[in-house]
Amino acid sequence: MQELIDSNKYQVFIYGSKAHLPFIFACHSWVVLNKKGSISRWEVVFRKNKNQDLGYLHIDDLPPFKGISILPFVNRIFSKGRMLGYIEGDSGSIAEQVINFVEQSKATYPYLNKYFLVGPNSNTYIQWVLNKFPELNIKLSWHFIGKGYNIKI
């Protein structure tokens, strides 16, 4: 997906991947931001961040387009990530607004310090972003367990 990166644009990529064992029937989601060449990966994972201010939110723990580890805590075998959708634009675009919203989520995400397998979780976080920007027109399937958690905007 690196070939889609345009360092002159604002781009938002929503990704999903099969979850790790034993929850392989479920999916994990994350967002990749390209802020005119500055690329970052944002996601909520099952372990707290070493930076306690971020709770369960992780930034750049894995390369942007890499899937997730199939075995928890063993970063050797990864599932393949799949792009669920993306948007791009120039200054003032929806893409730039999404990037600003995600970057502010360190202070605004209501479940920063709460995580459960059925939600709030990674999919709750991504659904929270998608709910704020319905124009993205991205729908998470039923495999994204936690997407329907009681999300507050």
Side-chain angles (χ1 to χ4, degrees), residues 63-144:
F65 302 106
K66 193 167 196 157
I68 61 169
S69 176
I70 291 176
L71 298 170
F73 305 108
V74 180
N75 288 331
R76 289 190 202 126
I77 304 170
F78 290 85
S79 63
K80 186 175 181 180
R82 179 173 71 90
M83 185 169 53
L84 305 174
Y86 88 103
I87 188 170
E88 66 180 16
D90 297 312
S91 293
S93 67
I94 296 295
E96 183 185 25
Q97 292 173 39
V98 173
I99 289 170
N100 292 336
F101 182 77
V102 170
E103 289 179 338
Q104 292 171 11
S105 70
K106 296 183 275 190
T108 59
Y109 180 56
Y111 304 113
L112 197 66
N113 290 300
K114 189 175 182 182
Y115 183 95
F116 294 104
L117 288 175
V118 295
N121 59 23
S122 64
N123 302 319
T124 309
Y125 178 69
I126 296 302
Q127 189 63 58
W128 177 72
V129 174
L130 295 176
N131 287 354
K132 178 69 175 170
F133 298 95
E135 51 271 81
L136 293 176
N137 202 29
I138 299 170
K139 307 285 185 229
L140 299 179
S141 76
W142 71 269
H143 297 281
F144 292 87

Side-chain angles (χ1 to χ4, degrees), residues 17-71:
S17 182
K18 293 275 187 192
H20 55 72
L21 294 173
F23 305 103
I24 203 75
F25 62 88
C27 290
H28 169 80
S29 57
W30 67 94
V31 62
V32 175
L33 308 177
N34 172 22
K35 191 174 181 178
K36 292 191 167 188
S38 176
I39 301 168
S40 57
R41 174 177 171 153
W42 295 66
E43 64 195 317
V44 167
V45 299
F46 65 92
R47 67 187 184 296
K48 278 210 167 187
N49 195 310
K50 291 176 185 170
N51 176 345
Q52 293 182 359
D53 292 337
L54 295 178
Y56 289 93
L57 181 64
H58 291 256
I59 305 163
D60 295 329
D61 268 6
L62 291 172
F65 302 106
K66 193 167 196 157
I68 61 169
S69 176
I70 291 176
L71 298 170

